[in-house]
Amino acid sequence: MWPWLLPAWGFHGIWSAPNSLGCCFSAVTMATRGHSSCSSMSNHTKERVTMAKVTLENFYSNLITQHEEREMRQHKLERVMDEEGLPDEEKRLRRSQHARKETEFLRLKRTRLGLEDFESLKVIGRGAFGEVRLVQKKDTGHVYAMKILRKADMLEKEQVGHIRAERDILVQADTLWVVKMFYSFQDKMNLYLLMEFLPGGDMMTLLMKKDTLSEEETQFYVAETVLAIDSIHQMGFIHRDIKPDNVLLDSKGHVKLSDFGLCTGLKKAHRTEFYRNLNHSVSNDFTSQYMNSKRKAETWKRNRRQLAFSTVGTPDYIAPEVFMQTGYNKLCDWWSLGVIMYEMLIGYPPFCSETPQETYKKVMNWKETLVFPPEVPISERAKDLILRFCCEGDHRIGASGVEEIKRNPFFEGVDYDHIRERPAAIPIEIKSIDDTSNFDEFPESDILSPTATAGEADYKNKDWVFINYTYKRFEGLTARGAIPSYMKGSKR
């Protein structure tokens, strides 16, 4: 322990008793070692002990991480310069520029980021726990998608583990297949994630605009999503919530994954039960399974938006082994992709019903309910791949690795190495960097209003659970760009 490295605000902000320093170190030691006297602690003391432990762990973890990231950036620079075969003088200039960026990064990291640094342009998404806005950073003119989550809702609905998982994986992810997060910060009321704005919208919107996709279009989107899911698996995470809402499209129409709130890995801070009571709900009969495909597609599209914005969500894409909670692995994500592929070709997912409870029952009885309507013909190799995705986990395609999926006959002719460099199956029309034409219209809300403080006292003492939420990405802080001319004169 190096006391001089402790944050100056730490102990004053957490403990108020005069002898708190020694007491809390003792309490932390007892708590972490399972000391028998912990059972005699009051709940207030236990919470303060946990706050101390989390604060200390995060502080030292951040010191180590910052050092490792700086070293990694330096090694990457040297490797790139060697690969380019630069002369010594050019290398010296590059190193000097990089050193200035690192210095600027350290300076900017110490600045506090807040809502006042951004101008809200438009609401582009809304969910059960908050919303997404298109915003512009005032000093650089850069445009971002700001995800806003209400702390009170996170605590009330036990979503802290989920939002922590999402923030952590977005920090770790550095791949073309995952939406990039540049900043995260918080205030008394909300959590904020500043991510790259992908003007192509999401796969749910695309599927609702079209009745079905062709097999060639489906091949493209499923192939890209295979690579995106595999990139998450290689990082040691399971997404668990692969659905069209979370498959975003960039300005050229290529796929990126988002919304990692249910993503799970090895960190205990990410574990929270979800879809808790579905298997205890009383289910209705499968009334919708007797509809023809056209009526079923119309019913699905009519209810889809409401399900996307509700706290219940839709269990249509969740693998049965996840519901059973008897153990699952990364193969559950391939099941979800099979359901999406079915929806692309047929027009609705295979287990859609009038209620989430009915859908849950259908998923659990998938051997009887996974059928292909004869009035919507698709190829045998498309059917085969869907059935290879949606089957028992032990026999599911991908069990021996992603190459097994990529070699499937349905993907014949796909050039995985260059797929992002080729034109997308469906071109995206973008008029400007802040074009929101591929998003739904949403009315304004009061989520950013400072007067929305009802119930604040009920959860302000729990605010420590969001400690270490703030993040600033190196590329985001060292990049500069002029405000585009067409945006300077416009106010929305």
Side-chain angles (χ1 to χ4, degrees), residues 151 184-188 190-192 463 466-467 469-470:
K151 286 184 177 180
S184 61
F185 60 92
Q186 60 180 299
D187 57 26
K188 286 184 178 180
N190 302 316
L191 301 173
Y192 304 91
D463 203 48
F466 301 111
I467 201 167
Y469 192 77
T470 300

Side-chain angles (χ1 to χ4, degrees), residues 1-11 21 25 55-64 66-67:
M1 191 67 69
W2 303 279
W4 58 87
L5 287 177
L6 289 171
W9 48 265
F11 294 105
L21 183 60
F25 267 120
T55 301
L56 294 172
E57 285 179 349
N58 278 303
F59 178 73
Y60 289 111
S61 174
N62 285 341
L63 283 180
I64 295 169
Q66 288 171 20
H67 174 73

Side-chain angles (χ1 to χ4, degrees), residues 18-55:
N19 61 343
S20 58
L21 183 60
C23 292
C24 282
F25 267 120
S26 175
V28 170
T29 303
M30 289 190 294
T32 53
R33 293 180 181 175
H35 199 282
S36 59
S37 65
C38 280
S39 58
S40 62
M41 289 184 189
S42 67
N43 287 336
H44 175 77
T45 302
K46 288 179 181 178
E47 185 164 299
R48 295 289 171 170
V49 166
T50 307
M51 289 167 64
K53 183 172 181 290
V54 170
T55 301

Side-chain angles (χ1 to χ4, degrees), residues 313-328:
T314 171
D316 281 87
Y317 308 94
I318 304 295
E321 64 264 27
V322 175
F323 285 126
M324 292 169 66
Q325 298 185 16
T326 55
Y328 56 87

Side-chain angles (χ1 to χ4, degrees), residues 34-229:
H35 199 282
S36 59
S37 65
C38 280
S39 58
S40 62
M41 289 184 189
S42 67
N43 287 336
H44 175 77
T45 302
K46 288 179 181 178
E47 185 164 299
R48 295 289 171 170
V49 166
T50 307
M51 289 167 64
K53 183 172 181 290
V54 170
T55 301
L56 294 172
E57 285 179 349
N58 278 303
F59 178 73
Y60 289 111
S61 174
N62 285 341
L63 283 180
I64 295 169
T65 301
Q66 288 171 20
H67 174 73
E68 290 176 344
E69 288 177 349
R70 184 163 184 154
E71 291 284 303
M72 183 180 65
R73 289 193 292 268
Q74 185 66 44
H75 289 318
K76 183 178 180 181
L77 174 67
E78 295 294 335
R79 187 179 70 250
V80 169
M81 289 192 301
D82 288 340
E83 289 173 355
E84 293 179 1
L86 298 179
D88 291 343
E89 181 61 22
E90 180 65 23
K91 285 184 178 181
R92 188 186 65 77
L93 288 172
R94 290 270 190 101
R95 291 188 189 106
S96 178
Q97 292 170 354
H98 181 77
R100 284 197 297 272
K101 280 190 174 184
E102 289 285 3
T103 301
E104 182 187 13
F105 182 53
L106 288 174
R107 179 179 61 81
L108 291 172
K109 276 194 72 131
R110 290 192 289 268
T111 62
R112 182 179 292 273
L113 204 61
L115 274 179
E116 63 277 5
D117 296 301
F118 299 90
E119 180 182 359
S120 178
L121 302 179
K122 188 177 183 182
V123 179
I124 57 174
R126 185 159 287 145
F129 304 109
E131 65 186 31
V132 180
R133 289 178 178 243
L134 181 68
V135 300
Q136 182 180 23
K137 198 162 185 288
K138 293 177 180 177
D139 62 345
T140 64
H142 292 169
V143 171
Y144 300 96
M146 175 189 278
K147 185 173 183 178
I148 308 164
L149 298 165
R150 291 180 293 266
K151 286 184 177 180
D153 290 343
M154 296 291 101
L155 289 164
E156 182 183 351
K157 304 295 183 182
E158 298 180 329
Q159 298 291 308
V160 174
H162 295 168
I163 190 61
R164 174 69 64 182
E166 178 171 39
R167 181 262 185 207
D168 288 352
I169 193 171
L170 288 172
V171 167
Q172 185 177 333
D174 188 15
T175 168
L176 290 172
W177 298 109
V178 173
V179 61
K180 181 166 285 188
M181 181 181 76
F182 289 98
Y183 315 106
S184 61
F185 60 92
Q186 60 180 299
D187 57 26
K188 286 184 178 180
M189 302 304 300
N190 302 316
L191 301 173
Y192 304 91
L193 294 167
L194 275 295
M195 295 174 287
E196 62 177 319
F197 171 55
L198 301 179
D202 60 39
M203 185 59 64
M204 179 181 75
T205 304
L206 181 67
L207 292 177
M208 292 186 71
K209 285 180 180 176
K210 296 178 171 287
D211 291 331
T212 58
L213 300 185
S214 69
E215 293 208 6
E216 183 180 2
E217 292 166 341
T218 300
Q219 182 199 61
F220 170 79
Y221 291 115
V222 174
E224 287 212 332
T225 309
V226 165
L227 297 178
I229 292 173

